[in-house]
Amino acid sequence: MSLPRPSPVAVQSGEFSQEERSRLLRLAHDSILSVLEQREISLEPPTAHLAQPRGVFTSLHLEGELRGCVGYVLPVSSLYRAVAETAQAAAFDDTRFYPVTQDEAPHLQIELSILSVPQPIQAEAVEVGRHGLLISLSGRRGLLLPQVPVEHNWDRTTFLEQTCHKAGLPSDAWKKGALIEAFTAEVFGEERTRE
């Protein structure tokens, strides 16, 4: 099976070059196909930059709808390996969806969110559209990526409440002792279109 050619969204300035973005998107596709085709792929990072440990989320879309999203908040492995592992997990282990099929794989659109390390932040310093949030309390933790509040047109308070909700906490836990951490993400991917 041939790999789909990624159609990256408009290039934005950022840490990763267009070549690196394309390489990571191809890797995500190939890692999904390698599971379906029962073959090994090399996870040796091709450059020192892609060998750096980073947190990453891989989101899969099919016909404009979310089809899976899994990620690592913290930098547990090289970015190259993390992209491959999270792409496979989004395709086959996201319990909200049935596993991606051989027929679906060539039609997936992939979006990568490469994260900075989360840092504690005061609620009033959270910037919608810039920060992703991680809220923790009593062993519960919820995370929302920076693009989520923008897509839903949320203000700061709603963003904080929804991140608490994602953690299974009361919506006002952010006011009552929960740890609020923020991170930024470089987000890039392929066009999402409804067919």
Side-chain angles (χ1 to χ4, degrees):
M1 177 183 289
S2 63
L3 291 173
R5 290 193 50 93
S7 310
V9 294
V11 177
Q12 305 161 29
S13 62
E15 178 184 348
F16 297 90
S17 69
Q18 185 58 37
E19 180 182 337
E20 289 173 319
R21 290 175 178 209
S22 294
R23 182 174 275 189
L24 291 171
L25 291 167
R26 280 194 308 273
L27 170 65
H29 279 288
D30 194 33
S31 66
I32 293 168
L33 287 174
S34 72
V35 171
L36 292 166
E37 297 170 356
Q38 299 181 332
R39 62 177 167 83
E40 297 290 319
I41 60 170
S42 171
L43 296 181
E44 187 64 34
T47 66
H49 191 213
L50 298 182
Q52 293 176 355
R54 295 296 290 272
V56 64
F57 274 74
T58 300
S59 301
L60 309 178
H61 294 86
L62 185 65
E63 297 180 357
E65 298 294 328
L66 184 66
R67 187 62 181 81
C69 181
V70 172
Y72 299 151
V73 177
L74 299 175
V76 296
S77 64
S78 75
L79 173 59
Y80 199 74
R81 177 176 287 278
V83 166
E85 290 175 355
T86 58
Q88 289 176 349
F92 306 110
D93 301 329
D94 187 333
T95 57
R96 298 172 295 174
F97 304 94
Y98 59 87
V100 166
T101 67
Q102 186 90 29
D103 290 339
E104 290 174 321
H107 305 289
L108 293 172
Q109 295 90 38
I110 295 178
E111 180 179 83
L112 300 176
S113 300
I114 302 172
L115 311 184
S116 67
V117 176
Q119 300 290 332
I121 192 172
Q122 296 298 315
E124 59 274 9
V126 172
E127 294 179 41
V128 170
R130 178 169 188 265
H131 292 129
L133 289 180
L134 178 63
I135 294 183
S136 311
L137 182 68
S138 304
R140 294 179 181 262
R141 182 170 76 175
L143 177 142
L144 289 174
L145 296 171
Q147 58 269 40
V148 172
V150 174
E151 290 171 358
H152 294 283
N153 200 27
W154 293 340
D155 61 15
R156 177 188 303 135
T157 300
T158 304
F159 187 23
L160 288 158
E161 291 172 347
Q162 290 296 321
T163 310
C164 290
H165 178 70
K166 181 93 183 272
L169 296 168
S171 62
D172 63 349
W174 63 276
K175 297 180 192 175
K176 298 182 176 178
L179 173 63
I180 305 169
E181 295 175 282
F183 57 89
T184 57
E186 184 168 338
V187 181
F188 55 91
E190 301 157 344
E191 294 289 347
R192 284 187 267 164
T193 56
R194 212 179 272 277
E195 295 176 2

